[in-house]
Amino acid sequence: MAPTWGGRVLGGPTGVLLCALALLVAGRGVVTTKNDRKRAAEPAEARYPGILDVLSAGTLFPQAGGSEVTFPVADDPDAAVLLRIDTAAGTRDRGPRDRALDEAVERGRSRAGELRRMRAAFTDRGYELVGVDPAFSAPWVAAAPTNATVTRVLAELGACVRTWGPARDANGAPRRSVTVNLVAPDLARERPTGQAKSPTVPRMTDPRLPAALAKRPHYAVSSTVRDGVVDLASGRAYLSFPYEDRRAFEKAVGDAVRDWLRTTRPRAGVDMVSGLWWLEPGTVDRLKGYVLFCDEAGEGARRAGDHAVVLTVDPKGNPVGDFQVIRDVRDGHGRVCLPRE
């Protein structure tokens, strides 16, 4: 079949030229990565003999050139050293490359230590750590709380987070809160675990993990950090949804509020279903949140809701309690301000 470009068939010299160009670019990428792998291996052998050995090398993205080379660390199976060989950063030259390698080793060992602290904090209380975001700010643990156990689980997870002690974020700024994601144990067992020879840190921060762990609705627990210490009494859980589940949930809630408003305020217009739906204390099947509305639906332009209907629903979005109206919920800056409880 003739080559195509932008959906058009290209024959003759033009098609041949484009195919040749694509092969040339691909070939350059392979050659560049191969050469960068060698550039990374040279200082590793000289500066860290017997400690670092190249595991893999991949093309930098979205940069047009350069590579990221990964080393396992012989005396630390958790650590991964990631060295970027990049012309723009000067790391193809020996001096900057050596300094970059030293910094990468220090960073890799530090992240491995942070992972071990986090893992120990949760496993010491019986919670398996199954994943963490690259910034080490939102761990995933295997847990399946019920109405009978959720109060205890929230307290235990708060204690885990306090032991881990994440007082500052990756940029060194004081944290204001920490979130722990809960995944059902059966789903955790199905997660991608990466290559066995790969160090623990890249396997636990694998970008495929969040999608695998969050493919069903899951609970997340948010705790407030005050003066660098987690407030154990502040832990609250909410239900987080995959995209399609979220759409179905919001439709169910929005339709229920519209139906109710028609009987009491027929001219009102529903504006927005709130983002987070917090678990009612002591339950995993009762969520509390709000829907914004305005007194009149308006004509043409969409109007921001100034009032809220607060309600409790089940995980499918079906109301299970009374509706409550709170008027004038926006402050002078337009932010929604509602009582916490």
Side-chain angles (χ1 to χ4, degrees):
M1 187 174 70
T4 63
W5 184 265
R8 294 182 297 169
V9 176
L10 297 175
T14 303
V16 172
L17 178 60
L18 285 171
C19 288
L21 178 60
L23 290 171
L24 177 61
V25 171
R28 282 181 177 174
V30 172
V31 171
T32 298
T33 301
K34 183 178 180 180
N35 290 340
D36 288 343
R37 183 180 182 125
K38 183 178 179 181
R39 289 189 181 96
E42 290 171 351
E45 292 168 0
R47 301 174 76 81
Y48 300 94
I51 300 296
L52 300 183
D53 188 20
V54 174
L55 174 66
S56 63
T59 303
L60 286 179
F61 182 83
Q63 291 93 330
S67 308
E68 183 173 73
V69 182
T70 302
F71 303 86
V73 181
D75 57 0
D76 187 344
D78 293 328
V81 173
L82 305 180
L83 177 64
R84 296 167 69 93
I85 305 295
D86 185 1
T87 301
T91 47
R92 283 203 169 96
D93 298 327
R94 184 60 187 262
R97 195 187 335 152
D98 288 351
R99 289 193 297 274
L101 178 62
D102 292 341
E103 293 169 359
V105 170
E106 182 179 356
R107 186 165 53 250
R109 289 190 181 278
S110 176
R111 284 172 63 81
E114 176 73 2
L115 178 65
R116 284 190 288 271
R117 286 191 293 275
M118 181 190 294
R119 185 170 54 197
F122 287 100
T123 56
D124 284 353
R125 289 178 171 82
Y127 294 96
E128 181 189 7
L129 182 70
V130 298
V132 64
D133 68 307
F136 280 31
S137 62
W140 288 81
V141 300
T146 65
N147 285 346
T149 65
V150 64
T151 301
R152 171 178 60 79
V153 168
L154 294 189
E156 290 175 347
L157 290 175
C160 293
V161 173
R162 175 176 278 191
T163 300
W164 161 37
R168 295 186 176 274
D169 62 20
N171 298 318
R175 292 190 193 275
R176 300 178 61 183
S177 65
V178 177
T179 298
V180 179
N181 295 290
L182 280 57
V183 60
D186 66 314
L187 195 55
R189 286 190 292 269
E190 299 172 1
R191 72 189 186 278
T193 55
Q195 298 180 357
K197 64 180 180 179
S198 181
T200 310
V201 169
R203 287 193 286 114
M204 293 289 280
T205 58
D206 189 324
R208 297 175 300 168
L209 265 177
L213 298 173
K215 67 181 181 181
R216 299 201 307 244
H218 69 277
Y219 302 113
V221 182
S222 177
S223 299
T224 301
V225 179
R226 306 184 195 281
D227 299 323
V229 178
V230 174
D231 181 357
L232 294 180
S234 68
R236 301 178 69 201
Y238 59 90
L239 193 58
S240 181
F241 302 89
Y243 177 71
E244 291 299 333
D245 295 81
R246 180 79 205 182
R247 288 184 61 189
F249 176 86
E250 291 184 346
K251 183 179 186 306
V253 173
D255 288 348
V257 170
R258 286 186 187 90
D259 290 344
W260 182 77
L261 284 173
R262 286 193 191 100
T263 66
T264 58
R265 296 168 176 80
R267 296 174 61 85
V270 170
D271 177 63
M272 184 189 74
V273 178
S274 69
L276 297 183
W277 285 72
W278 300 97
L279 294 184
E280 289 276 37
T283 75
V284 294
D285 56 3
R286 295 291 182 267
L287 314 172
K288 190 172 185 179
Y290 63 89
V291 177
L292 295 177
F293 75 95
C294 48
D295 288 321
E296 296 189 13
E299 298 179 3
R302 187 167 178 260
R303 295 179 57 179
D306 296 318
H307 320 299
V309 175
V310 180
L311 68 160
T312 300
V313 301
D314 66 17
K316 296 294 185 182
N318 303 308
V320 292
D322 296 332
F323 296 76
Q324 177 188 5
V325 171
I326 301 179
R327 295 189 62 80
D328 301 319
V329 296
R330 294 189 184 275
D331 65 14
H333 301 284
R335 296 172 297 201
V336 175
C337 299
L338 285 167
R340 174 167 171 167
E341 300 296 342

